[in-house]
Amino acid sequence: MRLLLISNSTNPGEEYLDYPKNNIKAFLGEKPVKALFIPYAGVTVSFDDYEAKVKHRFNEVGHDIESIHHFEDPIKAVEEAEAIVVGGGSTWNLLHMVHKFNLTDAIRNKVIDGETPYIGWSAGSNLTCPTIKTTNDMPIIDPLGFEALNLVPFQINPHYLDKNPEGHGGETREDRINEFLVLNPDMYVAGLREATMFLVEDGKLSLIGDRECRIFKNGLEPYELKATDDFNFMMK
């Protein structure tokens, strides 16, 4: 199984998918790949426009995508995909449509066999977790069940922030994650900061990026790991 799980699509002042484009290129390899793109997290953008934006960046690094919404049989599209790419947006709408079209098992089986690489960012990274319970997104639609792809045995919190914006008196991201851990004490949560990503290859998990990842587990004080540290304990 090969996964590239990106925290965010765009860094401030940069173009869309610019910072991870070379990681995407290296992950997919030198031979051109035409990946199946799943745009279901896009709510305020049309699937055609979302596809065009992602296609532009993938073409720039020698690869291509085609959106699943063009296919009459989405399950067959997944089964025949060279690679699967899942964009960010609303995690709730993404999972709703994955469940609606009965794609959970199809995607999981396709990726877990090791033949089909998976790339996701933001909501697309959340989708690989056991559930979407650590998404940051507002629950705008019934996801038809919280269970996600369960490709990794831990939870990700993308766009992880250490503090609230100045003047905001609500709970911090850490407060919300700690609430999750009280009710899910056996689960690790990775606070994946922006401009970083996880790589899963050969059953091993590693962090890419210059910023540290914050690790949460019930009963433990949250702590930081950097790219040179061992993350494989979260894959057990």
Side-chain angles (χ1 to χ4, degrees):
M1 183 175 64
R2 299 183 65 240
L3 312 173
L4 185 65
L5 308 179
I6 304 166
S7 177
N8 58 306
S9 62
T10 311
N11 287 331
E14 295 182 3
E15 294 183 357
Y16 185 76
L17 282 181
D18 189 61
Y19 88 88
K21 65 184 179 185
N22 290 321
N23 300 99
I24 292 170
K25 178 180 180 179
F27 180 73
L28 291 177
E30 293 299 321
K31 182 181 177 182
V33 170
K34 187 172 186 178
L36 180 70
F37 177 57
I38 298 179
Y40 297 155
V43 175
T44 58
V45 60
S46 74
F47 290 166
D48 285 338
D49 287 346
Y50 200 172
E51 176 188 35
K53 186 163 64 169
V54 175
K55 179 186 282 284
H56 173 74
R57 191 61 70 213
F58 271 66
N59 289 169
E60 184 180 335
V61 295
H63 298 292
D64 198 9
I65 59 116
E66 184 174 8
S67 178
I68 196 170
H69 76 279
H70 296 304
F71 294 82
E72 290 187 9
D73 186 341
I75 293 178
K76 184 178 179 181
V78 168
E79 291 172 346
E80 296 180 351
E82 289 185 68
I84 294 173
V85 176
V86 184
S90 169
T91 314
W92 298 83
N93 199 58
L94 170 61
L95 188 59
H96 172 89
M97 296 193 73
V98 165
H99 284 163
K100 176 182 177 180
F101 294 122
N102 298 311
L103 294 176
T104 309
D105 288 341
I107 297 172
R108 176 176 168 78
N109 293 338
K110 181 69 171 173
V111 174
I112 209 164
D113 69 3
E115 298 291 326
T116 309
Y118 178 107
I119 300 172
W121 52 90
S122 193
S125 295
N126 267 137
L127 189 66
T128 65
C129 299
T131 73
I132 64 162
K133 293 177 183 178
T134 52
T135 179
N136 305 308
D137 302 330
M138 183 181 290
I140 61 173
I141 193 170
D142 181 353
L144 306 177
F146 289 98
E147 291 73 22
L149 298 180
N150 198 25
L151 292 171
V152 295
F154 61 92
Q155 292 289 135
I156 296 172
N157 179 244
H159 305 270
Y160 179 75
L161 292 172
D162 294 282
K163 298 179 180 179
N164 278 335
E166 185 176 352
H168 178 70
E171 289 82 357
T172 64
R173 192 73 59 80
E174 184 167 317
D175 290 335
R176 292 303 192 197
I177 292 173
N178 283 332
E179 289 176 344
F180 169 84
L181 291 172
V182 169
L183 300 178
N184 301 270
D186 297 327
M187 187 69 65
Y188 278 101
V189 179
L192 193 61
R193 293 185 173 93
E194 293 190 337
T196 66
M197 61 197 81
F198 280 133
L199 175 67
V200 177
E201 286 186 313
D202 300 322
K204 296 181 179 179
L205 174 68
S206 59
L207 177 70
I208 298 172
D210 295 331
R211 306 181 74 186
E212 294 180 338
C213 180
R214 193 157 179 83
I215 306 299
F216 299 89
K217 181 72 162 60
N218 188 59
L220 299 177
E221 285 295 318
Y223 59 97
E224 304 282 335
L225 292 179
K226 54 186 180 295
T228 54
D229 290 324
D230 184 3
F231 285 81
N232 291 313
F233 63 92
M234 290 201 298
M235 294 294 288
K236 297 177 181 178

